[in-house]
Each structure stands twice: as C-alpha cells, then as structure tokens.
Amino acid sequence: MKETPARLTAKPSWLITQLAVHAHRLASDGFGEMGARGYHYRVLVALEQFGVASQAELGRRCNMDRSDIVATINELAGQGFVERTPDPDDRRRNLVTITTAGERHLHRLEQALDRVQEDLLAPLTPGDRQALTRLLTQLLAHHQRG
C-alpha cells in the first residue's frame, strides 16, 4: 500500500472494499477448483441448515436475485446435489431439498472455504480473527436493519 494515498488507507470503507475484492477472488478460485460457485455454497448451506424450502425462500435466505436462484438450483439439480418437487400445497411452486450427494459436495465446499479463510486471515491470531468476525457481524447487522 506504499503507492496508495494515506487518506485512502486510513478509511475503513476503502480497506473493507479492497479486502472484499480479494476475499471474493480467493473464494471464487477455491470454489472454481471444485467446479462450483459461491451461489452453490449459499444454497446448499441454507438447505442443510433449514431443510426443504421453496425457491423464493432460498432466494431470501441466501440474499440472491430470483433469476440467480433459479439458475443456481438448475445447476445444482443438474449435478444431482438438490431435488426439486412440486409443492403439494401450491403446484405453481417448487420445493428444493438437498440430496446425499449434495451434502457430500457441501462438505467438500466447506473444506475449500476453510482453506480460503485460512489464507485470507493468515496474518491474524485466532483471537484477532474472532474479534474481526464479531465486529464485521455487528456492522452488517446494523446496516441490514430497517
């Protein structure tokens, strides 16, 4: 950062933006090595944690646009990682379920993401990592309200 103006590097918003770009690249590369994308991880982890969901619910939980959630579910279904079935209460709606193969794939993605976290946070101690996560969570929660 020697060539970057000091007034920029003193701004947390600039630092967060620069780090976000780097974090996104690392995660994309990690998922890409497995033929996956970050959206795949989001959907699979939501299904594992919360269970069967409609496409609309998944979109809200994963903070994804409707067209992105449909494309992602199509990709995951094509690979056998999720199953779509008509909702018995509303035939216009699909319910999405993670498969056993999807759970195994999620485990592999989780391992890849753990390596990314390790790379991203390498210079920090475990205590600093926890503090950073706590502070980022606090900031995000504040700005997501309302």
Coordinates of all heavy atoms in Angstrom, one line a residue, residues 71-145:
A71 N -31.3 -20.1 -11.7 CA -30.1 -20.7 -12.4 C -29.3 -21.6 -11.5 O -28.8 -22.6 -11.9 CB -29.3 -19.5 -13.0
T72 N -29.1 -21.2 -10.3 CA -28.2 -21.9 -9.3 C -28.9 -23.3 -9.0 O -28.2 -24.3 -9.0 CB -28.0 -21.1 -8.0 OG1 -27.3 -19.9 -8.4 CG2 -27.2 -21.9 -7.0
I73 N -30.2 -23.2 -8.8 CA -30.9 -24.5 -8.5 C -30.9 -25.4 -9.7 O -30.7 -26.6 -9.6 CB -32.3 -24.2 -8.0 CG1 -32.3 -23.6 -6.6 CG2 -33.2 -25.5 -8.0 CD1 -33.6 -23.0 -6.1
N74 N -31.0 -24.8 -10.9 CA -30.9 -25.6 -12.1 C -29.6 -26.3 -12.2 O -29.5 -27.5 -12.5 CB -31.1 -24.8 -13.4 CG -32.6 -24.4 -13.6 OD1 -33.5 -24.9 -13.0 ND2 -32.8 -23.3 -14.4
E75 N -28.5 -25.6 -11.9 CA -27.1 -26.1 -12.0 C -27.0 -27.2 -10.9 O -26.5 -28.3 -11.2 CB -26.1 -25.0 -11.7 CG -26.0 -24.0 -12.9 CD -25.2 -22.8 -12.5 OE1 -24.7 -22.7 -11.3 OE2 -25.1 -21.9 -13.3
L76 N -27.4 -27.0 -9.7 CA -27.3 -28.0 -8.6 C -28.1 -29.2 -8.9 O -27.7 -30.3 -8.6 CB -27.6 -27.3 -7.3 CG -26.7 -26.3 -6.8 CD1 -27.3 -25.6 -5.5 CD2 -25.3 -26.9 -6.4
A77 N -29.3 -29.0 -9.4 CA -30.2 -30.2 -9.7 C -29.6 -31.0 -10.9 O -29.6 -32.2 -10.8 CB -31.6 -29.7 -10.1
G78 N -29.0 -30.3 -11.9 CA -28.3 -31.0 -13.0 C -27.2 -31.9 -12.5 O -26.8 -32.9 -13.2
Q79 N -26.6 -31.5 -11.4 CA -25.4 -32.3 -10.9 C -25.9 -33.3 -9.8 O -25.1 -34.0 -9.2 CB -24.4 -31.3 -10.3 CG -23.8 -30.4 -11.3 CD -22.9 -29.3 -10.7 OE1 -23.3 -28.6 -9.8 NE2 -21.7 -29.2 -11.2
G80 N -27.2 -33.3 -9.5 CA -27.7 -34.2 -8.5 C -27.5 -33.8 -7.1 O -27.6 -34.6 -6.2
F81 N -27.2 -32.5 -6.9 CA -27.0 -32.1 -5.5 C -28.3 -31.6 -4.8 O -28.3 -31.5 -3.6 CB -25.9 -31.0 -5.5 CG -24.6 -31.4 -6.0 CD1 -23.8 -30.6 -6.8 CD2 -24.1 -32.7 -5.7 CE1 -22.6 -31.0 -7.2 CE2 -22.9 -33.1 -6.2 CZ -22.1 -32.2 -7.0
V82 N -29.3 -31.2 -5.6 CA -30.6 -30.9 -5.0 C -31.7 -31.6 -5.8 O -31.4 -31.9 -7.0 CB -30.8 -29.4 -4.9 CG1 -29.8 -28.7 -4.1 CG2 -30.9 -28.7 -6.3
E83 N -32.8 -31.7 -5.2 CA -34.0 -32.2 -5.9 C -35.1 -31.1 -5.8 O -35.3 -30.5 -4.8 CB -34.5 -33.5 -5.3 CG -33.6 -34.7 -5.6 CD -34.1 -35.9 -4.9 OE1 -35.1 -35.9 -4.1 OE2 -33.6 -37.0 -5.3
R84 N -35.8 -31.0 -6.9 CA -37.0 -30.1 -6.9 C -38.2 -30.9 -7.1 O -38.3 -31.8 -7.9 CB -36.9 -29.1 -8.1 CG -36.3 -27.8 -7.9 CD -36.5 -27.0 -9.1 NE -35.8 -27.6 -10.2 CZ -35.1 -27.0 -11.1 NH1 -34.9 -25.8 -11.1 NH2 -34.5 -27.7 -12.1
T85 N -39.2 -30.6 -6.2 CA -40.5 -31.3 -6.3 C -41.6 -30.3 -6.2 O -41.4 -29.2 -5.5 CB -40.7 -32.3 -5.2 OG1 -40.5 -31.7 -3.9 CG2 -39.7 -33.5 -5.3
P86 N -42.7 -30.5 -6.9 CA -43.8 -29.6 -6.8 C -44.3 -29.5 -5.3 O -44.4 -30.5 -4.6 CB -44.9 -30.1 -7.7 CG -44.2 -31.1 -8.6 CD -43.0 -31.6 -7.8
D87 N -44.7 -28.3 -4.8 CA -45.2 -28.1 -3.5 C -46.7 -28.7 -3.5 O -47.5 -28.3 -4.3 CB -45.2 -26.6 -3.2 CG -45.7 -26.3 -1.8 OD1 -46.5 -27.2 -1.2 OD2 -45.4 -25.3 -1.3
P88 N -47.0 -29.7 -2.7 CA -48.3 -30.2 -2.7 C -49.4 -29.2 -2.3 O -50.6 -29.4 -2.7 CB -48.3 -31.3 -1.6 CG -47.0 -31.1 -0.8 CD -46.1 -30.3 -1.7
D89 N -49.0 -28.1 -1.6 CA -50.0 -27.1 -1.3 C -50.2 -26.0 -2.3 O -51.1 -25.3 -2.3 CB -49.6 -26.4 0.1 CG -49.6 -27.4 1.2 OD1 -50.4 -28.4 1.2 OD2 -48.7 -27.2 2.1
D90 N -49.2 -25.9 -3.2 CA -49.2 -24.9 -4.3 C -48.4 -25.4 -5.5 O -47.2 -25.3 -5.5 CB -48.7 -23.6 -3.8 CG -48.8 -22.5 -4.8 OD1 -49.1 -22.7 -6.0 OD2 -48.5 -21.3 -4.4
R91 N -49.1 -26.0 -6.4 CA -48.4 -26.7 -7.6 C -47.6 -25.7 -8.4 O -46.8 -26.1 -9.2 CB -49.4 -27.4 -8.5 CG -50.1 -28.6 -7.8 CD -49.1 -29.6 -7.7 NE -49.5 -31.0 -7.8 CZ -48.8 -32.0 -7.4 NH1 -47.7 -31.8 -6.9 NH2 -49.3 -33.2 -7.6
R92 N -47.8 -24.4 -8.3 CA -47.0 -23.4 -9.0 C -45.6 -23.2 -8.4 O -44.8 -22.6 -9.0 CB -47.8 -22.1 -9.0 CG -49.1 -22.1 -9.7 CD -49.9 -20.8 -9.4 NE -50.1 -20.8 -8.0 CZ -50.7 -19.7 -7.3 NH1 -50.9 -18.6 -8.0 NH2 -50.9 -19.8 -6.1
R93 N -45.4 -23.8 -7.3 CA -44.2 -23.5 -6.5 C -43.4 -24.8 -6.4 O -44.0 -25.9 -6.3 CB -44.6 -23.0 -5.1 CG -43.5 -22.6 -4.3 CD -44.1 -21.8 -3.1 NE -44.6 -22.7 -2.1 CZ -44.8 -22.4 -0.8 NH1 -44.6 -21.1 -0.5 NH2 -45.3 -23.2 0.0
N94 N -42.1 -24.8 -6.5 CA -41.2 -25.9 -6.3 C -40.6 -25.9 -4.9 O -40.3 -24.8 -4.4 CB -40.1 -25.9 -7.3 CG -40.5 -26.3 -8.7 OD1 -41.3 -27.2 -8.8 ND2 -40.0 -25.6 -9.7
L95 N -40.5 -27.1 -4.3 CA -39.7 -27.2 -3.1 C -38.4 -27.8 -3.4 O -38.3 -28.7 -4.2 CB -40.5 -28.1 -2.1 CG -41.8 -27.6 -1.6 CD1 -42.5 -28.6 -0.7 CD2 -41.7 -26.3 -0.9
V96 N -37.4 -27.4 -2.7 CA -36.0 -27.8 -3.0 C -35.4 -28.5 -1.8 O -35.6 -28.0 -0.7 CB -35.1 -26.6 -3.4 CG1 -33.7 -27.1 -3.8 CG2 -35.7 -25.8 -4.6
T97 N -34.8 -29.7 -2.1 CA -34.2 -30.5 -1.0 C -32.8 -30.8 -1.4 O -32.5 -31.1 -2.5 CB -35.0 -31.8 -0.8 OG1 -36.4 -31.5 -0.7 CG2 -34.5 -32.6 0.3
I98 N -31.9 -30.8 -0.4 CA -30.5 -31.2 -0.6 C -30.5 -32.7 -0.6 O -31.2 -33.4 0.1 CB -29.6 -30.6 0.5 CG1 -28.1 -30.9 0.1 CG2 -29.9 -31.2 1.8 CD1 -27.1 -30.1 1.0
T99 N -29.7 -33.3 -1.5 CA -29.6 -34.8 -1.6 C -28.3 -35.2 -0.8 O -27.5 -34.4 -0.4 CB -29.4 -35.2 -3.1 OG1 -28.1 -34.6 -3.6 CG2 -30.5 -34.7 -4.0
T100 N -28.2 -36.5 -0.7 CA -27.0 -37.1 -0.1 C -25.7 -36.6 -0.8 O -24.7 -36.2 -0.2 CB -27.1 -38.6 0.0 OG1 -28.3 -38.9 0.7 CG2 -25.9 -39.2 0.8
A101 N -25.8 -36.7 -2.1 CA -24.6 -36.2 -2.9 C -24.4 -34.7 -2.7 O -23.2 -34.3 -2.6 CB -24.9 -36.4 -4.4
G102 N -25.5 -33.9 -2.5 CA -25.3 -32.5 -2.2 C -24.7 -32.3 -0.9 O -23.9 -31.4 -0.7
E103 N -25.0 -33.1 0.1 CA -24.4 -33.0 1.5 C -22.9 -33.3 1.4 O -22.1 -32.6 2.0 CB -25.1 -33.9 2.5 CG -26.5 -33.5 2.8 CD -27.3 -34.5 3.6 OE1 -26.8 -35.6 3.8 OE2 -28.3 -34.1 4.1
R104 N -22.5 -34.3 0.6 CA -21.1 -34.6 0.4 C -20.4 -33.5 -0.3 O -19.3 -33.1 0.1 CB -20.9 -35.9 -0.3 CG -21.2 -37.2 0.5 CD -20.8 -38.4 -0.2 NE -21.3 -38.6 -1.5 CZ -22.5 -39.3 -1.8 NH1 -23.1 -39.8 -0.8 NH2 -22.9 -39.4 -3.0
H105 N -21.0 -32.9 -1.3 CA -20.5 -31.8 -2.1 C -20.3 -30.6 -1.2 O -19.3 -29.9 -1.2 CB -21.3 -31.5 -3.3 CG -20.8 -30.5 -4.2 ND1 -19.5 -30.6 -4.8 CD2 -21.2 -29.2 -4.6 CE1 -19.3 -29.5 -5.6 NE2 -20.3 -28.7 -5.4
L106 N -21.3 -30.3 -0.3 CA -21.3 -29.2 0.6 C -20.1 -29.4 1.6 O -19.4 -28.4 1.8 CB -22.6 -29.1 1.4 CG -22.6 -28.0 2.5 CD1 -22.3 -26.6 2.0 CD2 -23.9 -28.1 3.2
H107 N -19.8 -30.6 2.0 CA -18.7 -30.8 2.9 C -17.4 -30.5 2.2 O -16.5 -29.9 2.8 CB -18.7 -32.3 3.3 CG -17.6 -32.7 4.2 ND1 -17.5 -32.2 5.5 CD2 -16.5 -33.4 4.0 CE1 -16.3 -32.7 6.1 NE2 -15.7 -33.4 5.2
R108 N -17.3 -30.9 0.9 CA -16.0 -30.5 0.2 C -15.9 -29.0 0.0 O -14.8 -28.4 0.1 CB -16.0 -31.3 -1.2 CG -15.8 -32.8 -1.1 CD -15.7 -33.4 -2.4 NE -16.8 -33.3 -3.3 CZ -17.9 -34.1 -3.4 NH1 -17.9 -35.1 -2.6 NH2 -18.8 -33.9 -4.2
L109 N -17.0 -28.4 -0.3 CA -17.0 -26.9 -0.5 C -16.6 -26.2 0.8 O -15.9 -25.2 0.8 CB -18.4 -26.4 -0.9 CG -18.8 -26.8 -2.4 CD1 -20.2 -26.2 -2.6 CD2 -17.8 -26.3 -3.4
E110 N -17.1 -26.8 1.9 CA -16.8 -26.2 3.3 C -15.3 -26.3 3.5 O -14.7 -25.4 4.0 CB -17.6 -27.0 4.3 CG -17.6 -26.4 5.7 CD -18.6 -25.2 5.8 OE1 -19.8 -25.4 5.4 OE2 -18.2 -24.2 6.2
Q111 N -14.7 -27.4 3.1 CA -13.3 -27.6 3.3 C -12.5 -26.6 2.4 O -11.5 -26.0 2.9 CB -12.8 -29.0 2.9 CG -13.3 -30.0 4.0 CD -13.0 -31.4 3.5 OE1 -13.0 -31.8 2.3 NE2 -12.7 -32.3 4.5
A112 N -13.0 -26.4 1.2 CA -12.3 -25.4 0.3 C -12.5 -24.0 0.9 O -11.5 -23.2 0.9 CB -13.0 -25.4 -1.1
L113 N -13.6 -23.7 1.5 CA -13.8 -22.3 2.1 C -13.0 -22.2 3.3 O -12.5 -21.1 3.6 CB -15.3 -22.1 2.3 CG -15.7 -20.7 2.7 CD1 -15.3 -19.7 1.6 CD2 -17.2 -20.6 2.8
D114 N -12.8 -23.2 4.1 CA -11.9 -23.2 5.3 C -10.5 -22.8 4.8 O -9.9 -22.0 5.5 CB -11.9 -24.5 6.0 CG -13.2 -24.7 6.8 OD1 -14.0 -23.8 7.0 OD2 -13.5 -25.9 7.3
R115 N -10.0 -23.4 3.7 CA -8.7 -23.0 3.2 C -8.6 -21.6 2.8 O -7.6 -20.9 3.1 CB -8.3 -24.0 2.1 CG -8.0 -25.4 2.5 CD -7.4 -26.3 1.4 NE -8.3 -26.5 0.3 CZ -9.3 -27.4 0.2 NH1 -9.4 -28.3 1.2 NH2 -10.0 -27.5 -0.8
V116 N -9.7 -21.1 2.2 CA -9.8 -19.7 1.8 C -9.7 -18.8 3.0 O -9.0 -17.8 3.0 CB -11.0 -19.4 1.0 CG1 -11.3 -17.9 0.8 CG2 -11.0 -20.1 -0.4
Q117 N -10.5 -19.1 4.1 CA -10.5 -18.3 5.3 C -9.1 -18.3 5.9 O -8.6 -17.3 6.3 CB -11.4 -18.9 6.3 CG -12.9 -19.0 5.9 CD -13.4 -17.7 5.3 OE1 -13.4 -16.7 6.0 NE2 -13.9 -17.7 4.1
E118 N -8.4 -19.4 5.9 CA -7.1 -19.5 6.4 C -6.1 -18.6 5.7 O -5.3 -17.9 6.2 CB -6.6 -21.0 6.4 CG -5.3 -21.2 7.1 CD -5.3 -20.8 8.6 OE1 -6.4 -21.1 9.3 OE2 -4.3 -20.3 9.1
D119 N -6.2 -18.7 4.4 CA -5.4 -17.8 3.5 C -5.7 -16.3 3.7 O -4.8 -15.5 3.9 CB -5.6 -18.2 2.0 CG -4.6 -17.5 1.1 OD1 -3.6 -16.9 1.6 OD2 -4.9 -17.5 -0.1
L120 N -6.9 -16.0 3.7 CA -7.4 -14.6 3.9 C -6.9 -14.0 5.2 O -6.5 -12.9 5.3 CB -8.9 -14.5 3.8 CG -9.5 -13.1 3.9 CD1 -9.1 -12.2 2.7 CD2 -11.0 -13.2 4.0
L121 N -7.0 -14.8 6.3 CA -6.8 -14.3 7.6 C -5.5 -14.7 8.2 O -5.2 -14.6 9.4 CB -7.9 -14.8 8.6 CG -9.4 -14.4 8.1 CD1 -10.4 -15.0 9.0 CD2 -9.5 -12.9 8.1
A122 N -4.6 -15.2 7.4 CA -3.3 -15.7 7.8 C -2.5 -14.8 8.8 O -1.9 -15.3 9.7 CB -2.4 -16.1 6.6
P123 N -2.5 -13.5 8.6 CA -1.7 -12.7 9.5 C -2.3 -12.5 10.8 O -1.6 -11.9 11.7 CB -1.5 -11.4 8.7 CG -2.6 -11.3 7.7 CD -3.0 -12.8 7.4
L124 N -3.5 -12.9 11.1 CA -4.2 -12.6 12.3 C -4.1 -13.8 13.3 O -4.2 -15.0 12.8 CB -5.7 -12.3 12.0 CG -6.0 -11.1 11.1 CD1 -7.5 -11.0 11.0 CD2 -5.4 -9.9 11.6
T125 N -4.1 -13.5 14.6 CA -4.1 -14.5 15.6 C -5.6 -15.1 15.7 O -6.5 -14.4 15.2 CB -3.7 -14.0 17.0 OG1 -4.7 -13.0 17.4 CG2 -2.4 -13.3 16.9
P126 N -5.8 -16.2 16.3 CA -7.1 -16.7 16.5 C -8.0 -15.7 17.2 O -9.2 -15.5 16.8 CB -7.0 -18.0 17.3 CG -5.6 -18.5 16.9 CD -4.8 -17.2 16.7
G127 N -7.5 -15.0 18.2 CA -8.3 -14.0 18.9 C -8.6 -12.8 18.0 O -9.8 -12.3 18.1
D128 N -7.7 -12.4 17.2 CA -8.0 -11.3 16.3 C -9.0 -11.7 15.2 O -9.9 -10.9 14.8 CB -6.7 -10.9 15.5 CG -5.7 -10.1 16.4 OD1 -6.2 -9.6 17.5 OD2 -4.6 -10.0 16.0
R129 N -9.0 -13.0 14.8 CA -10.0 -13.5 13.8 C -11.4 -13.4 14.4 O -12.3 -13.0 13.8 CB -9.6 -14.9 13.4 CG -8.4 -15.0 12.6 CD -8.0 -16.4 12.3 NE -6.7 -16.5 11.6 CZ -6.3 -17.5 10.9 NH1 -7.1 -18.6 10.8 NH2 -5.1 -17.5 10.3
Q130 N -11.5 -13.9 15.7 CA -12.8 -13.8 16.4 C -13.2 -12.4 16.5 O -14.4 -12.1 16.3 CB -12.7 -14.5 17.7 CG -12.6 -16.0 17.6 CD -12.4 -16.7 19.0 OE1 -12.0 -16.0 20.0 NE2 -12.7 -18.0 19.0
A131 N -12.3 -11.5 16.9 CA -12.7 -10.1 17.1 C -13.1 -9.5 15.8 O -14.2 -8.8 15.7 CB -11.5 -9.3 17.7
L132 N -12.4 -9.8 14.7 CA -12.8 -9.2 13.4 C -14.2 -9.8 13.0 O -15.0 -9.0 12.5 CB -11.7 -9.6 12.3 CG -12.1 -9.2 10.9 CD1 -12.1 -7.7 10.8 CD2 -11.0 -9.8 9.9
T133 N -14.4 -11.0 13.1 CA -15.7 -11.6 12.8 C -16.8 -11.0 13.6 O -17.9 -10.6 13.1 CB -15.7 -13.1 13.0 OG1 -14.6 -13.7 12.2 CG2 -17.0 -13.8 12.6
R134 N -16.6 -10.8 14.9 CA -17.6 -10.2 15.8 C -17.9 -8.7 15.3 O -19.0 -8.3 15.2 CB -17.1 -10.2 17.2 CG -18.1 -9.5 18.2 CD -17.5 -9.5 19.6 NE -16.2 -8.9 19.8 CZ -16.0 -7.6 19.7 NH1 -17.1 -6.7 19.5 NH2 -14.8 -7.0 19.9
L135 N -16.8 -8.0 15.0 CA -17.0 -6.6 14.6 C -17.7 -6.5 13.2 O -18.6 -5.6 13.0 CB -15.7 -5.8 14.5 CG -15.0 -5.6 15.9 CD1 -13.6 -5.1 15.7 CD2 -15.9 -4.6 16.7
L136 N -17.3 -7.3 12.3 CA -18.0 -7.3 11.0 C -19.4 -7.7 11.1 O -20.3 -7.1 10.4 CB -17.2 -8.3 10.0 CG -15.9 -7.8 9.6 CD1 -15.1 -8.9 8.8 CD2 -15.9 -6.5 8.8
T137 N -19.7 -8.7 11.9 CA -21.1 -9.1 12.2 C -21.9 -8.0 12.8 O -23.1 -7.7 12.3 CB -21.1 -10.3 13.1 OG1 -20.4 -11.4 12.5 CG2 -22.6 -10.8 13.4
Q138 N -21.4 -7.3 13.7 CA -22.0 -6.1 14.3 C -22.3 -5.0 13.3 O -23.4 -4.5 13.2 CB -21.1 -5.6 15.4 CG -21.7 -4.4 16.2 CD -20.8 -4.0 17.3 OE1 -19.8 -4.6 17.7 NE2 -21.1 -2.8 17.9
L139 N -21.4 -4.7 12.5 CA -21.6 -3.7 11.4 C -22.6 -4.1 10.4 O -23.5 -3.3 10.1 CB -20.2 -3.4 10.7 CG -19.2 -2.6 11.4 CD1 -17.9 -2.6 10.7 CD2 -19.7 -1.1 11.6
L140 N -22.5 -5.4 10.0 CA -23.5 -5.8 9.0 C -24.9 -5.8 9.6 O -25.9 -5.4 8.9 CB -23.1 -7.2 8.5 CG -24.0 -7.8 7.4 CD1 -24.0 -7.0 6.2 CD2 -23.5 -9.3 7.1
A141 N -25.1 -6.3 10.8 CA -26.4 -6.3 11.4 C -27.0 -4.9 11.5 O -28.1 -4.7 11.3 CB -26.3 -7.0 12.8
H142 N -26.1 -4.0 11.9 CA -26.6 -2.6 12.0 C -27.1 -2.0 10.7 O -28.1 -1.4 10.6 CB -25.4 -1.7 12.5 CG -25.7 -0.2 12.4 ND1 -26.5 0.4 13.4 CD2 -25.4 0.7 11.5 CE1 -26.6 1.7 13.1 NE2 -26.0 1.9 11.9
H143 N -26.4 -2.3 9.6 CA -26.7 -1.8 8.3 C -27.8 -2.6 7.6 O -28.4 -2.1 6.6 CB -25.5 -1.6 7.4 CG -24.6 -0.6 7.9 ND1 -24.9 0.8 7.8 CD2 -23.4 -0.6 8.6 CE1 -24.0 1.5 8.4 NE2 -23.0 0.7 8.8
Q144 N -28.1 -3.8 8.1 CA -29.2 -4.6 7.5 C -30.6 -4.3 8.1 O -31.6 -4.6 7.6 CB -28.9 -6.1 7.5 CG -27.9 -6.5 6.6 CD -27.6 -8.0 6.6 OE1 -27.8 -8.6 7.6 NE2 -27.2 -8.6 5.5
R145 N -30.5 -3.6 9.2 CA -31.8 -3.2 9.9 C -32.5 -2.2 9.1 O -31.9 -1.3 8.5 CB -31.5 -2.6 11.3 CG -31.2 -3.7 12.3 CD -31.1 -3.0 13.6 NE -30.0 -3.7 14.4 CZ -29.0 -3.2 15.0 NH1 -28.9 -1.9 15.0 NH2 -28.1 -3.9 15.6

